[in-house]
Amino acid sequence: MCCAGEFFLDVLGKMEPPTSSRLNSRKRRKDGSGPNGATELDGVPPKMSRRSLGLREPAPFSDEVEIDYSKPYIRVTYEEAMRGTPLDRPVRVYADGIFDLFHSGHARALMQAKNLFPNTYLIVGVCSDELTHNFKGFTVMNENERYDAVQHCRYVDEVVRNAPWTLTPEFLAEHRIDFVAHDDIPYSSAGSDDVYKHIKEAGMFAPTQRTEGISTSDIITRIVRDYDVYARRNLQRGYTAKELNVSFINEKKYHLQERVDKVKKRVKDVEEKSKEFVQKVEEKSIDLIQKWEEKSREFIGNFLEMFGPEGALKHMLKEGKGRMLQAISPKQSPSSSPTHDRSPSPSFRWPFSTKTPPSSPANRSRNESAVTYDISEDEED
């Protein structure tokens, strides 16, 4: 390690590492307001025409790129890289990794590496299955799938297959690398506390920031945690139990659970529809009650106007009664007309007696009729 550090110091001289202020400018905040939590300090370029950013081909592999070794290669300093280099002399930045289940965290790390300097040529190294299984563990994707995934990342200019686990001076000189980009957390592996320690001591290390909340381990944890859900999902999509390494009993259990879930879903749909129906009935009933109340108020008001104490019917009856009385009663004679005094009719008296002799019942009835007649005549007068 010491020899490698001295080698880099001799070749590079005194190279000033990136300052903390510039590192903080690339820091990603988890609670950012931009897309995927990005902030204005992430160095995300402003919006521009889509056609200027379109890439038509994947990044080539390093063994497919011709390098003119006749020209001497002199590494640039950090100050020169920040000022900007000629177009034909970009700053060659190297970033390596496993890139299993390539996700947005990988893409954001490569984006930061690409935007370290104004003119950057990004070389990405991908470790083989053999190295990865020996030093880190089993991968979900094989090495060819991981190579292909990195090739199609828009920030990558060149891909190195079967990249070394620890960077050697010979590898850096072969690919003419100026800086190595990786997150600043010490990466202990292969018997070393930090495999990038000699790169940091040589002043060639350019740190990037990890994306919180997303990693290959997090994705695998989600799948393992919800294993039954994803097993049922793939069984529904046509995968066999043998392909999924699912036992016969578990297969039947998953099918039964699927049927139960379908029944639950149907019941839930029926409940929702019944709730909607009841709600509509309630709304209509409320409308009908309101209309009935309005009509009943109108009916009661009209009834009171017609049949109430001061209603129109009472006035009509009073007016009709007055007309009837006026029609059946005779007209009164004028007060100036003379009155005819009628002398009382003479009555027969028995001689020698002041008393009226007793009369027979027949005579009594005649007398009563006569009296009645006289009275009626007087009434007429």
Side-chain angles (χ1 to χ4, degrees), residues 115-129:
N115 289 281
L116 284 171
F117 308 106
N119 184 18
T120 302
Y121 184 84
L122 181 59
I123 306 169
V124 180
V126 183
C127 299
S128 64
D129 289 343

Side-chain angles (χ1 to χ4, degrees), residues 13-288:
K14 296 181 179 179
M15 294 185 66
E16 182 182 356
T19 59
S20 60
S21 61
R22 296 188 183 277
L23 297 181
N24 292 333
S25 66
R26 297 191 298 272
K27 185 176 181 180
R28 178 181 182 269
R29 298 180 182 177
K30 187 176 180 180
D31 55 349
S33 58
N36 295 328
T39 63
E40 296 179 356
L41 302 179
D42 281 336
V44 179
K47 292 183 179 179
M48 57 185 68
S49 177
R50 182 178 294 275
R51 61 186 177 183
S52 65
L53 299 176
L55 300 177
R56 298 180 180 272
E57 297 179 358
F61 293 114
S62 59
D63 52 7
E64 299 174 349
V65 178
E66 295 182 0
I67 299 177
D68 187 5
Y69 291 101
S70 61
K71 295 182 181 180
Y73 187 81
I74 302 174
R75 291 184 176 88
V76 297
T77 62
Y78 182 78
E79 292 82 2
E80 293 173 345
M82 290 303 299
R83 284 197 301 265
T85 57
L87 294 177
D88 58 348
R89 176 57 178 91
V91 180
R92 296 174 68 86
V93 177
Y94 178 80
D96 59 356
I98 309 302
F99 302 107
D100 190 21
L101 297 176
F102 192 88
H103 51 76
S104 62
H106 295 142
R108 291 187 65 83
L110 298 178
M111 180 188 69
Q112 294 179 56
K114 181 69 174 178
N115 289 281
L116 284 171
F117 308 106
N119 184 18
T120 302
Y121 184 84
L122 181 59
I123 306 169
V124 180
V126 183
C127 299
S128 64
D129 289 343
E130 182 181 359
L131 281 176
T132 305
H133 297 168
N134 289 334
F135 292 105
K136 191 169 185 179
F138 191 76
T139 58
V140 178
M141 302 168 64
N142 59 44
E143 58 185 22
N144 293 324
E145 293 171 338
R146 294 185 284 113
Y147 296 155
D148 188 66
V150 175
Q151 264 190 302
H152 289 82
C153 180
R154 66 188 306 173
Y155 309 110
V156 179
D157 298 306
E158 183 179 329
V159 177
V160 178
R161 291 179 286 192
N162 193 16
W165 197 262
T166 302
L167 301 179
T168 62
E170 293 78 15
F171 179 84
L172 297 175
E174 177 186 357
H175 295 278
R176 300 190 174 190
I177 295 170
D178 295 315
F179 296 94
V180 177
H182 199 273
D183 61 83
D184 201 16
I185 301 173
Y187 194 87
S188 59
S189 179
S192 174
D193 294 336
D194 189 2
V195 295
Y196 297 102
K197 183 178 180 180
H198 60 288
I199 303 294
K200 296 176 181 178
E201 292 174 352
M204 296 179 62
F205 188 79
T208 58
Q209 298 295 324
R210 294 178 64 89
T211 302
E212 298 295 335
I214 182 68
S215 68
T216 302
S217 299
D218 292 337
I219 295 174
I220 294 175
T221 300
R222 298 177 198 173
I223 297 173
V224 173
R225 180 186 59 199
D226 300 327
Y227 169 77
D228 291 346
V229 175
Y230 294 111
R232 290 170 54 188
R233 171 187 178 273
N234 282 10
L235 285 173
Q236 293 173 13
R237 295 182 177 236
Y239 289 89
T240 63
K242 185 177 180 181
E243 291 174 334
L244 297 175
N245 196 22
V246 174
S247 64
F248 177 80
I249 296 176
N250 286 336
E251 181 185 7
K252 298 304 178 184
K253 181 184 72 173
Y254 294 148
H255 285 307
L256 179 61
Q257 289 177 351
E258 183 64 25
R259 294 176 183 176
V260 172
D261 290 344
K262 287 182 179 179
V263 172
K264 289 181 179 179
K265 185 178 180 181
R266 290 179 183 176
V267 172
K268 186 176 180 181
D269 293 340
V270 171
E271 288 179 354
E272 292 178 355
K273 291 181 180 179
S274 61
K275 288 180 181 179
E276 292 179 358
F277 177 76
V278 171
Q279 185 176 1
K280 290 181 180 179
V281 171
E282 289 179 354
E283 292 176 355
K284 290 184 178 181
S285 62
I286 292 172
D287 294 338
L288 291 174

